Amino acid sequence: MEAKRVARAGVMTALLAVSAQVMLPLGPVPFTLQTLVLAMVPAVLDPATSVFTVLAYVVLGAVGLPVFAGFNGGIGALAGPTGGFLWGFVLGCALAGALAKVLDGRIGAYPRALVCAAALVLVSYVCGTVQLMALMNLDLAGALAIAVIPFVVPDAVKVAVGARLGCTVARMVK
């Protein structure tokens, strides 16, 4: 990996860690600014570097660094109520990268960034909801009420802003 890609991946990983600490606890799933930074990732980085970046963030947290919301870290955080969202970030980033490749040249940078970021968040919602259902013995409606519905509108705003910021950053670093 060339130095510029490594530097960008490092900066984005650091932004993910910092954005996780800007939070409001709303029950088992906190409101954070991570979605905004996640929306930037596919716009700023190429698909492979995007997945590497988000995976590096999750691995740093898994080994115990306090990079997850509320300065949490460790395997327990990945096995807890928000762990599915964290794994979903990685899977969602992979989907976003695939979509970015398909959409490249077909639509503008900002619409492409919006589609990719929305797909990333949707995958995270699915993974997070499934893990929350399993851990808290909730039905789908109960898990959605706790982990998705309160976040849809704020996340849509964060996706729109993050995608725009990501496109701006990508344009500036070229």
Side-chain angles (χ1 to χ4, degrees), residues 66-140:
V67 296
F68 299 147
F71 294 101
N72 286 316
I75 295 294
L78 292 175
T82 60
F85 293 96
L86 296 167
W87 287 113
F89 294 166
V90 177
L91 298 175
C93 212
L95 175 61
L99 285 171
K101 285 181 181 179
V102 169
L103 297 174
D104 191 31
R106 295 181 181 193
I107 61 176
Y110 181 61
R112 184 177 62 243
L114 279 175
V115 168
C116 291
L120 193 162
V121 171
L122 181 61
V123 170
S124 176
Y125 279 170
V126 169
C127 295
T129 300
V130 168
Q131 185 161 327
L132 196 63
M133 288 171 61
L135 288 176
M136 299 184 75
N137 198 26
L138 296 170
D139 63 1
L140 180 60

Side-chain angles (χ1 to χ4, degrees), residues 19-103:
S19 66
Q21 307 319 318
V22 181
M23 64 173 267
L24 294 171
L26 297 175
V29 180
F31 173 88
T32 71
L33 286 185
Q34 273 183 316
T35 310
L36 187 139
V37 175
L38 284 165
M40 293 174 64
V41 169
V44 173
L45 305 172
D46 63 89
T49 307
S50 295
V51 172
F52 172 79
T53 297
V54 177
L55 183 59
Y57 167 72
V58 171
V59 168
L60 288 171
V63 299
L65 293 176
V67 296
F68 299 147
F71 294 101
N72 286 316
I75 295 294
L78 292 175
T82 60
F85 293 96
L86 296 167
W87 287 113
F89 294 166
V90 177
L91 298 175
C93 212
L95 175 61
L99 285 171
K101 285 181 181 179
V102 169
L103 297 174

